[in-house]
Amino acid sequence: MPEGDSVFRAAAQLHEALAGDELVVADLRVPALATSDLTGRRVLETVARGKHLLTRLDGDLTLHTHLRMDGRWAVYPAGERWSGGPGWQIRAVLGTARNTAVGYRLPVVELLPTTEESTVVGHLGPDLLGPDWDAQEALRRLSADPLRPLGLALLDQRNLAGVGNVYANELSFLARVPPWRPVGEVPGLEKVVDTAHRLLTLNRLRVGHVTTGDTRADRRNWVYGRARQPCRRCGTRILTSSLGEPPQDRVVYWCPRCQPER
């Protein structure tokens, strides 16, 4: 599932392509919205809220989309051939005189009044990349269940919005604890929250979820995706397993030396 920084970039791309222009093409290819007509409406903005995308139109209307595992928005100059996938995967098309935004494999596509956006994003915790980021509130929410594994607590968007599995693994490594360590036993939980905010902020306009400081494709992360490879810090072989109950379990990576059981 995309991390919050990836969704932030998608929102910025959609905003740059569509904001301020009138829709001349609007095709929502989901049964519930098949007859909806958005043509003639002006796009006001697209913003990210955690991992949710909110495209606001004039007339108090918002198109809410979520990428989940496979969704993607692609932007093309008006008239250019679309190349993001077969036509049957397209779920939404928003076109202006300048650009066309095409949503592929979007699992969530819905319209709602802008004044009612809280019904779809109101449950989220503080947004790591939002203008109202509140580190103390995020810390309070994380700490509310001290027995919960750190990796799962970080992934819970009700605690803080924007962390995906890459960052959950990398933050556990940087905190020097395994992802299953109970939140109440993680030393310096405040630093974990601050590091999450710093990493997503640094990566919000670049690709790769860089956590090591090295932007080279094979050097970006400490442990994520590096099973059986040597730890960049101590050389110990990186291990992998799963955390959580199916079907919500997530793959985890850790260094048994840098992230000891106790």
Side-chain angles (χ1 to χ4, degrees), residues 34-231:
T35 61
S36 300
D37 184 8
L38 304 180
T39 57
R41 291 182 182 267
R42 185 166 59 90
V43 180
L44 303 180
E45 61 181 344
T46 295
V47 299
R49 181 74 175 89
K51 298 183 181 183
H52 299 253
L53 288 164
L54 303 170
T55 298
R56 294 165 178 156
L57 312 173
D58 61 5
D60 186 41
L61 197 62
T62 293
L63 176 65
H64 168 230
T65 58
H66 197 295
L67 307 180
R68 288 189 183 165
M69 293 298 293
D70 300 315
R72 173 176 176 258
W73 278 100
V75 173
Y76 308 95
E80 182 176 299
R81 182 175 179 272
W82 306 342
S83 57
W88 59 267
Q89 293 184 346
I90 296 173
R91 297 292 179 268
V93 180
L94 300 177
T96 70
R98 294 187 300 126
N99 298 297
T100 302
V102 183
Y104 294 91
R105 301 172 297 279
L106 299 175
V108 176
V109 180
E110 59 182 336
L111 287 172
L112 69 158
T114 302
T115 51
E116 297 180 12
E117 288 178 355
S118 62
T119 61
V120 293
V121 297
H123 65 287
L124 298 176
D127 187 342
L128 284 156
L129 294 177
D132 56 347
W133 165 244
D134 187 336
Q136 289 305 308
E137 176 61 15
L139 180 62
R140 184 192 70 79
R141 293 188 181 211
L142 276 175
S143 304
D145 186 353
L147 297 180
R148 195 174 192 186
L150 176 64
L152 297 181
L154 288 171
L155 287 169
D156 190 336
Q157 302 300 294
R158 296 169 297 182
N159 291 332
L160 65 171
V163 170
N165 207 33
V166 176
Y167 285 118
N169 279 272
E170 294 294 289
L171 288 167
S172 297
F173 176 84
L174 292 169
R176 291 181 174 269
V177 297
W180 55 86
R181 177 74 62 84
V183 167
E185 299 178 17
V186 176
L189 192 59
E190 302 91 341
K191 186 176 181 181
V192 175
V193 172
D194 289 341
T195 302
H197 182 236
R198 178 171 56 85
L199 289 175
L200 266 76
T201 299
L202 289 171
N203 289 324
R204 71 192 189 283
L205 296 179
R206 66 184 180 189
V207 176
H209 315 307
V210 179
T211 57
T212 61
D214 192 331
T215 59
R216 289 176 291 179
D218 61 341
R219 303 288 296 178
R220 292 169 178 167
N221 299 138
W222 292 101
V223 293
Y224 184 83
R226 302 192 64 246
R228 297 179 295 278
Q229 297 182 48
C231 173

